[in-house]
Amino acid sequence: EFPIKNIDNLIEKVNQFSIPDLAFTGTNVDPQLYRYEKELINYIRNNLNKKTKLSLHTNGLNVLNKLDIFNSYDKASISFPSFNLETFFQVTKSRKQPDIKEILKHAKIPVKLSMLITPFNKHEIPEYLEKTKELGIKRLVIRKLKNHDSEYPLEDFFKNENKVKDILGWPVYDVSGLEVTICGFDSSIAHGLFLFSDGRMEDYLIK
């Protein structure tokens, strides 16, 4: 369906409250599978406050097939739990990994990685950091599973690193030039305005 239900109301509120970022994401499906992705981007840009940035939150599997659309965003975050294929499978139940190196080769926008911490990959953080830096990526988000903050005391892991700031209650570290943000959603103070595919719009804490 295009345009999606209630999109004009969302745009109105984004403009009204000068919301700086509008993210294309999904609850159980990747946003790049939306048939009218390009049309939706153009529609929003034509009606949006020019200061608001459009970002894509994706699993990365469709990026190389839709490079022009991918590069029409202002920035992108790729959910990527592990560079190890077996670990990747344990977390995602899929053996289809996005080709991060190839994506970066063609990307014309800033790209960050998003690593969801689980029992399968929590031991891989040092290796993940090194590979991310080798790829030339400048930003990484490490996310904790909801309701599992205490099981992953990531702040302890980074206690010897240079903490440069806090964003919405989340600590941000400089790890040899790589900006690493630790997101624990159980204690989040971040508010989000969400528009779902059925037209529902909700404003609540990001958890």
Side-chain angles (χ1 to χ4, degrees):
E1 178 181 352
F2 178 79
I4 57 177
K5 297 177 182 177
N6 220 10
I7 186 63
D8 290 329
N9 192 18
L10 175 68
I11 293 173
E12 180 183 346
K13 290 189 177 299
V14 170
N15 288 334
Q16 178 184 353
F17 296 105
S18 299
I19 295 174
D21 292 288
L22 194 160
F24 289 60
T25 186
T27 53
N28 55 12
V29 67
D30 192 82
Q32 287 217 287
L33 292 175
Y34 179 52
R35 181 183 301 179
Y36 302 105
E37 182 185 11
K38 180 178 180 180
E39 289 82 355
L40 181 59
I41 292 171
N42 291 336
Y43 185 87
I44 291 175
R45 283 207 185 277
N46 288 335
N47 293 281
L48 201 61
N49 185 315
K50 302 306 180 184
K51 295 181 179 179
T52 300
K53 303 295 185 183
L54 300 188
S55 64
L56 171 67
H57 292 200
T58 176
N59 61 24
L61 292 176
N62 296 285
V63 170
L64 294 175
N65 294 323
K66 306 179 74 176
L67 279 171
D68 287 345
I69 296 177
F70 176 77
N71 282 317
S72 68
Y73 291 94
D74 295 301
K75 54 186 177 179
S77 175
I78 299 178
S79 181
F80 192 72
S82 177
F83 287 92
N84 182 292
L85 183 57
E86 287 305 314
T87 305
F88 187 93
F89 173 73
Q90 287 177 308
V91 177
T92 67
K93 307 305 178 187
S94 171
R95 296 191 184 279
K96 292 181 63 178
Q97 274 185 317
D99 190 335
I100 301 297
K101 187 175 182 178
E102 192 67 15
I103 290 173
L104 294 173
K105 179 181 177 182
H106 296 282
K108 298 178 182 178
I109 58 174
V111 176
K112 70 180 179 183
L113 293 185
S114 177
M115 180 190 192
L116 176 66
I117 294 297
T118 74
F120 302 112
N121 66 352
K122 63 180 181 179
H123 63 283
E124 295 183 355
I125 292 177
E127 175 189 358
Y128 195 105
L129 292 173
E130 288 305 311
K131 287 185 177 295
T132 301
K133 286 186 284 187
E134 288 173 6
L135 287 168
I137 293 173
K138 299 300 183 183
R139 296 185 63 208
L140 166 65
V141 173
I142 300 181
R143 297 179 291 130
K144 300 178 184 180
L145 283 167
K146 183 181 178 182
N147 300 323
H148 290 271
D149 262 22
S150 61
E151 296 177 24
Y152 307 110
L154 298 179
E155 291 80 1
D156 291 344
F157 180 87
F158 288 93
K159 63 183 179 182
N160 294 322
E161 301 293 346
N162 179 28
K163 181 180 175 182
V164 293
K165 59 184 174 181
D166 286 282
I167 297 178
L168 302 172
W170 299 323
V172 181
Y173 300 90
D174 181 346
V175 183
S176 301
L178 174 65
E179 183 183 288
V180 181
T181 304
I182 307 299
C183 297
F185 295 97
D186 292 353
S187 57
S188 170
I189 61 172
H191 277 272
L193 183 64
F194 294 82
L195 177 63
F196 297 91
S197 58
D198 61 1
R200 286 180 298 120
M201 192 159 61
E202 299 181 5
D203 177 9
Y204 51 77
L205 279 172
I206 299 174
K207 291 185 176 180

